[in-house]
């Protein structure tokens, strides 16, 4: 039994003040940045005094808020609950039962590293608004907290039969914490080399970055327009208008590659910052990933919490022999994506290690291979061929005239892609689980164990019913997995089998 | 315990397909039909305003709209009726099944040992008709939660009682 490290209300490390201050300042600046911009650019008629006064005021307000915040923030562990108290005017008290805690994750930015403190995020099962985070506590204290929580859960699991209901014994001990034994059974599986990092950066989704970039620029332009009464779109029109009509193509020719290049560079930098020196650990209870250049982030995924394994590879990744792996964990909907621990890129051996650890029987079980119905190709053709072409032709008709018919060239390609998509869809059933694989360019795969399934659904559209087809959906606590366009009889057989497996399996899904 | 791993005769597994579904309370059909009628009554009011204001001065348009309204109303009633007939639920020893939908037909099955909790809710309309809605929650999020509207209140209570007992007994797989 470990000893409760925080029996009494404890404040965070005093370093936390810096982070709170930073947080408050960010909040203020986000609210007031337009005002600040006006101050900077629009100083006509204003003396320097009012300008400085404003900033002194701003700094004063932030500092006061931060100090108040810091001194009114306590956390402790009592009666099997992690308790957090904060607030002055509106007091908040958050109680998190320790056995509801999903994961205890650490974050360490440069400042954290400098002061040897970490930020702690605690994810809980269920109820939103109960997420619990500490800005900065000492490294040892954080580790003690995590070990205590994990030990508590382990002993509580074993002791649950004998201990009645809510009354859990081990927690009320009030001795101060002693340095305890660390988990020694961790081994490192994988470390991202700079070259790997480069490959991952290169194979990121640059179009998405471009989208974010555009959205950011447009949003930014909007705000600046409002603040400085400067009309961006008008300026743009002037530039484009002053150019002869043929020059539009020139601008497009220069602009699009420029945007793509910028996106590429930004993806690279982001990847480098986020995944620098990524280490993938196999721990006693699951996996742990530590990564980040300025902000070191440590996330862990316990094997029991992982609901399925998903890996994907883009064409570029396949060229490098890499894939990205996600390990979605059970969580409330509100916490959502945050809990999907993932590797942005790794190689076959790491994936095998994950599969082996999470689903040890997988490779010994005979599998039955199935495909999906050919009509899925028609659906793909409709959704990715006919509809977009119709929309594009409609939009561009006035601009391009009969040239708009050029979009029709997409149709045969789309048809071919649909056929390829159909052929790529495969699913393998075994006694204990399901594996799926699909995708032409982006190959996706999912590995699922039956006993992790929460509910089974069969869904048929009007068309599918006429063709005797159905979509089979397996809901897990970390999202759903769907097998589309399979014969109804097959879907029903799988449904019956999965229900049987769930209802007879004694293992806990979490 | 001795490790057992006998082969499962898949063809002998209980089949969801063979289950006889329980229909919802007939009062629910009335509720659905009344709700549809109310909605279309609303549209009719809109049409009346349109008719008297007559902005386009085209009488055929007015009557044409009324005809469309009539068609849609008939379609809505038929749909409500079919929705009622298609919906059903079944309790088995280890799970609950729910089927619903006219255009998109869905059958959802939730084993008792994966349920988190279940609850009954009643709105004013349901109250007036003696009906209730039963909701079953799993850890799978809203997409896998089950909600059966239009149960008789007593029946909903009985089912809830039954499920609660089952959840307690099944140990929830946690």
């Amino acid at each position: 039994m470990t000893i409760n490290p925080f029996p009494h209300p404890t404040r965070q490390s005093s370093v936390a003040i810096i982070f709170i201050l930073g947080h408050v300042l960010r909040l203020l600046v986000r609210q007031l940045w337009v005002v600040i911009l006006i101050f900077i650019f629009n100083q006509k008629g204003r003396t320097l005094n009012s300008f400085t006064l404003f900033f002194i005021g701003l700094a004063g307000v932030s500092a006061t808020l931060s100090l108040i915040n810091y001194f009114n923030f306590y956390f402790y562990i009592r009666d099997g609950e992690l308790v957090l108290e904060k607030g002055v005017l509106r007091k908040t008290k958050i109680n998190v039962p320790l056995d509801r805690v999903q994961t205890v994750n650490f974050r360490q930015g440069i400042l954290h590293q400098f002061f040897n403190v970490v930020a702690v995020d605690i994810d809980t099962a269920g109820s939103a608004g109960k997420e619990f985070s500490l800005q900065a506590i000492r490294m040892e204290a954080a580790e003690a907290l995590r070990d205590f929580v994990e030990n508590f859960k382990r002993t509580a699991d074993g002791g649950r039969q004998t201990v009645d209901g809510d009354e859990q014994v081990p927690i009320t001990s009030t001795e101060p914490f002693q340095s305890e034994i660390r988990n020694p059974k961790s081994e490192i599986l994988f470390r991202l080399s700079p070259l790997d990092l480069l490959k991952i950066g290169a194979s990121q989704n640059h179009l998405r970055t471009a989208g974010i970039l555009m959205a950011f620029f447009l949003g930014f332009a909007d705000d600046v327009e409002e603040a400085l009464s400067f009309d961006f779109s008008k300026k743009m029109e002037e530039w484009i208008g002053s150019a002869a009509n043929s020059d539009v193509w020139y601008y497009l020719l220069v602009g699009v590659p420029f945007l793509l290049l910028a996106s590429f560079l930004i993806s690279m930098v982001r990847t480098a910052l986020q995944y620098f020196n990524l280490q993938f650990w196999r721990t006693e209870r699951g996996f742990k990933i530590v990564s980040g250049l300025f902000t070191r982030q440590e996330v862990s995924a316990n094997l029991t919490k992982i609901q399925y394994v998903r890996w994907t590879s883009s064409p570029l990744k396949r060229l490098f022999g890499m894939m990205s792996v996600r390990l979605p964990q059970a969580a409330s909907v509100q916490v959502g994506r945050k809990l999907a621990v993932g590797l942005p890129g790794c190689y076959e051996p790491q994936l095998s290690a994950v599969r082996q650890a999470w689903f040890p029987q997988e490779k010994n079980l005979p599998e039955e291979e199935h495909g999906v119905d050919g009509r899925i190709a028609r659906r793909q053709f409709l959704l990715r061929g006919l509809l977009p072409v119709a929309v594009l032709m409609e939009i561009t008709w006035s601009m391009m005239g009969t040239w708009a018919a050029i979009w029709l060239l997409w149709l045969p390609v789309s048809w071919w892609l649909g056929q390829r998509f159909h052929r790529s869809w495969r699913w393998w059933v075994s006694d204990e689980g399901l594996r799926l694989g699909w995708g032409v360019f982006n190959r996706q795969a999912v590995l699922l164990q039956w006993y992790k399934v929460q509910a089974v659904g069969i869904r048929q559209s009007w068309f599918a019913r006429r063709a005797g087809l159905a979509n089979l959906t397996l809901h897990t606590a970390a999202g759903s997995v769907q097998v589309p366009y399979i014969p109804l009889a097959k879907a029903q057989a799988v449904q019956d089998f999965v229900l049987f497996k769930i209802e007879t399996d004694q293992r806990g899904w979490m | 315990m001795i490790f057992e791993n006998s082969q499962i005769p898949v063809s002998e597994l209980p089949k969801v397909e063979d289950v006889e579904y329980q229909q919802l309370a007939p009062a629910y059909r009335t509720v659905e039909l009344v709700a549809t009628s109310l909605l279309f009554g609303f549209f009719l009011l809109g049409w009346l305003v349109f008719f008297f204001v007559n902005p386009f001065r085209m009488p055929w348009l007015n009557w044409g709209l009324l005809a469309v309204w009539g068609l849609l109303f008939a379609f809505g009633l038929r749909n409500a009726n079919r929705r009622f007939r298609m919906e059903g639920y079944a309790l088995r020893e280890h799970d609950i099944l729910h089927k619903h939908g006219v255009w998109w037909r869905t059958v959802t099955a939730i084993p008792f040992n994966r349920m988190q909790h279940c609850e009954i809710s009643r709105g004013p309309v349901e109250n007036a008709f003696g009906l209730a809605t039963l909701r079953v929650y799993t850890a799978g999020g809203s997409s896998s939660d089950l909600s059966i509207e239009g149960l008789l209140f007593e029946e909903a209570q009985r089912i809830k009682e039954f499920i609660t007992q089952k959840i307690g007994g099944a140990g929830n797989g946690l």
Side-chain angles (χ1 to χ4, degrees):
Chain A
M1 195 109 339
T2 25
I3 291 155
N4 183 357
F6 304 106
H8 308 296
T10 313
R11 289 203 184 99
Q12 305 176 80
S13 154
S14 45
V15 184
I17 298 177
I18 302 176
F19 296 105
I20 300 171
L21 185 65
H23 183 67
V24 171
L25 264 179
R26 258 204 309 278
L27 272 181
L28 282 177
V29 168
R30 201 175 295 158
Q31 295 299 318
L32 298 175
W33 74 273
V34 172
V35 182
I36 296 171
L37 255 189
I38 291 176
F39 261 111
I40 294 172
F41 282 101
N42 213 353
Q43 287 190 32
K44 272 173 275 166
R46 277 196 190 81
T47 56
L48 193 66
N49 263 342
S50 66
F51 185 62
T52 15
L53 265 181
F54 174 76
F55 278 101
I56 290 172
L58 198 68
V61 168
S62 339
T64 323
L65 281 178
S66 315
L67 284 175
I68 291 176
N69 192 318
Y70 171 75
F71 282 107
N72 282 289
F73 187 105
Y74 296 99
F75 68 97
Y76 51 91
I77 302 175
R78 194 170 286 168
D79 301 333
E81 287 185 336
L82 201 52
V83 189
L84 192 149
E85 288 176 28
K86 62 183 175 184
V88 190
L89 293 176
R90 194 178 45 141
K91 285 201 183 295
T92 317
K93 188 173 176 183
I94 301 177
N95 296 55
V96 179
L98 287 181
D99 52 0
R100 287 277 145 183
V101 173
Q102 297 288 315
T103 43
V104 181
N105 289 332
F106 296 169
R107 257 180 311 123
Q108 222 183 8
I110 292 192
L111 271 178
H112 286 104
Q113 284 166 39
F114 184 76
F115 290 109
N116 194 27
V117 291
V118 287
V120 181
D121 295 313
I122 289 161
D123 286 313
T124 57
S127 42
K130 285 220 163 184
E131 290 78 46
F132 190 111
S133 58
L134 304 172
Q135 300 270 357
I137 61 174
R138 278 177 306 115
M139 188 69 181
E140 309 87 64
E143 273 163 2
L145 175 67
R146 178 169 61 187
D147 292 344
F148 182 75
V149 170
E150 289 190 346
N151 267 324
F152 175 85
K153 293 183 67 172
R154 213 172 330 189
T155 44
D157 284 349
R160 201 171 273 170
Q161 287 90 12
T162 47
V163 181
D164 195 294
D166 298 328
E167 204 190 332
Q168 260 130 8
V169 201
I171 358 82
T172 29
S173 147
T174 48
E175 274 130 287
F177 115 87
Q178 305 165 345
S179 81
E180 24 50 74
I181 318 120
R182 304 275 309 282
N183 268 346
K185 287 180 196 150
S186 300
E187 82 176 291
I188 192 157
L189 290 177
F190 181 51
R191 201 190 288 268
L192 269 191
S193 71
L195 183 67
D196 294 333
L197 205 60
L198 214 61
K199 289 178 186 170
I200 293 171
S203 57
Q204 291 285 357
N205 188 346
H206 303 298
L207 285 179
R208 197 177 55 197
T209 315
I212 295 171
L213 203 64
M214 296 266 290
F216 176 76
F217 177 74
L218 291 178
F220 180 77
D222 249 19
D223 281 346
V224 172
E225 267 176 21
E226 266 178 44
L228 303 175
S229 53
F230 171 84
D231 199 336
F232 257 107
S233 44
K234 213 169 176 180
K235 270 274 183 320
M236 293 283 260
E237 266 170 39
E238 274 173 29
W239 291 338
I240 296 174
S242 69
N245 209 14
S246 59
D247 283 353
V248 173
W249 290 106
Y250 171 75
Y251 279 104
L252 274 180
L253 271 177
V254 177
V256 171
F258 178 77
L259 183 69
L260 285 179
L261 184 71
S263 315
F264 179 79
L265 288 177
I266 289 174
S267 309
M268 279 300 219
V269 171
R270 253 187 39 187
T271 309
L273 290 182
Q274 199 176 350
Y275 303 120
F276 180 79
N277 191 18
L278 180 141
Q279 295 166 12
F280 183 45
W281 293 78
R282 173 83 170 90
T283 61
E284 193 189 352
R285 288 149 61 85
F287 300 103
K288 188 172 81 176
I289 296 171
V290 189
S291 72
L293 180 59
F294 295 125
T295 303
R296 287 299 276 174
Q297 195 153 28
E298 181 183 318
V299 285
S300 40
N302 290 344
L303 283 179
T304 50
K305 302 246 175 56
I306 298 172
Q307 300 296 307
Y308 56 93
V309 179
R310 180 179 186 134
W311 60 99
T312 54
S313 58
S314 62
L316 214 52
K317 280 230 169 76
R318 274 202 298 288
L319 195 71
F320 299 140
M322 296 183 101
M323 61 275 285
S324 58
V325 180
R326 289 184 87 73
L327 309 169
Q329 297 185 77
S332 62
V333 185
Q334 286 82 1
V335 184
R337 291 168 60 92
K338 211 168 69 183
L339 269 189
V341 171
L343 280 172
C346 68
Y347 299 93
E348 194 58 47
Q350 287 84 45
L351 176 64
S352 302
V354 170
R355 284 167 72 169
Q356 165 70 24
W358 185 69
F359 191 175
Q361 312 96 305
E362 187 203 355
K363 59 179 178 200
N364 301 324
L365 289 170
E367 288 179 331
E368 211 177 271
E369 185 174 342
H370 299 273
V372 301
D373 193 84
R375 289 178 187 84
I376 201 170
R378 284 194 229 160
R379 185 192 69 172
Q380 291 296 101
F381 177 63
L382 183 75
L383 292 181
R384 309 204 159 178
L386 277 179
L387 275 176
V389 164
V391 170
L392 277 173
M393 277 179 74
E394 168 68 27
I395 293 174
T396 53
W397 192 263
S398 59
M399 275 158 47
M400 300 165 73
T402 39
W403 273 101
I406 202 165
W407 300 117
L408 290 175
L409 288 178
W410 173 246
L411 290 181
V413 181
S414 160
W415 178 259
W416 178 74
L417 284 176
Q419 300 298 328
R420 285 282 307 269
F421 184 76
H422 163 232
R423 272 194 307 256
S424 75
W425 238 111
R426 285 269 161 271
W427 50 293
W428 295 266
V429 187
S430 73
D431 269 0
E432 294 299 326
L434 172 74
R435 187 156 62 86
L436 313 167
W438 72 96
V440 180
F441 293 116
N442 278 318
R443 291 285 307 158
Q444 321 234 15
V446 168
L447 182 67
L448 176 75
Q449 294 186 71
W450 297 132
Y451 81 97
K452 299 276 185 183
V453 172
Q454 302 283 331
V456 193
I458 292 183
R459 206 166 146 80
Q460 284 183 296
S461 70
W462 186 69
F463 291 108
R465 211 162 49 244
R466 285 185 21 169
L469 298 174
N471 295 344
L472 176 76
T473 312
L474 303 160
H475 301 276
T476 77
S480 308
V481 173
Q482 201 185 53
V483 192
Y485 280 71
I486 57 174
L488 179 64
K490 237 183 220 182
Q492 281 168 338
V494 177
Q495 185 179 42
D496 292 335
F497 183 69
V498 178
L499 287 174
F500 164 77
K501 290 303 283 188
I502 303 172
E503 285 155 10
T504 52
D505 205 310
Q506 297 301 316
R507 285 174 290 178
W509 54 271
M510 188 172 95
Chain B
M1 194 181 87
I2 302 162
F3 179 68
E4 277 183 60
N5 199 5
S6 48
Q7 186 172 2
I8 306 139
V10 177
S11 56
E12 284 168 30
L13 287 176
K15 288 190 171 60
V16 170
E17 198 192 342
D18 299 342
V19 163
E20 273 194 32
Y21 287 90
Q22 199 84 33
Q23 272 212 331
L24 301 177
Y28 185 59
R29 187 207 300 255
T30 320
V31 171
E32 286 273 276
L33 292 178
V34 169
T36 313
S37 309
L38 277 179
L39 182 71
F40 277 89
F42 223 70
F43 290 150
L44 190 65
L45 278 180
W47 180 82
L48 277 174
V49 172
F50 190 78
F51 181 76
F52 285 113
V53 176
N54 200 3
F56 298 116
R57 313 244 171 259
M58 286 183 287
W60 60 267
L61 184 67
N62 294 339
W63 299 117
L65 278 176
L66 189 64
V68 170
W69 175 86
L71 273 177
L72 285 179
F73 188 24
F75 183 74
L77 288 179
R78 179 170 170 267
N79 218 27
N81 213 10
R82 282 184 68 192
R83 206 161 49 232
F84 174 80
R85 268 192 294 128
M86 289 312 303
E87 187 158 355
Y89 66 93
L91 286 168
R92 300 198 298 179
E93 200 183 330
H94 295 289
D95 45 38
I96 185 170
L97 308 172
H98 180 221
K99 65 161 190 171
H100 65 104
V102 177
W103 301 106
W104 278 91
R105 280 192 201 162
T106 310
V107 179
T108 310
I110 305 183
F112 294 127
N113 62 358
R114 290 292 181 274
M115 289 177 189
Q116 297 289 317
H117 68 282
C118 73
E119 64 179 34
I120 296 178
S121 66
R122 310 180 76 184
V125 180
E126 289 178 311
N127 227 339
F129 283 85
L131 298 174
T133 299
L134 179 83
R135 287 203 176 80
V136 176
Y137 295 93
T138 70
S142 53
S143 60
S144 67
D145 293 340
L146 204 110
S147 153
I148 311 177
E149 285 175 48
L151 292 167
L152 280 179
F153 182 55
E154 297 79 46
E155 203 173 339
Q157 270 179 320
R158 269 203 306 277
I159 300 173
K160 187 185 170 221
E161 192 77 2
F162 178 75
I163 291 179
T164 312
Q165 236 169 32
K166 284 284 190 184
I167 295 179
N172 221 354
L174 269 167

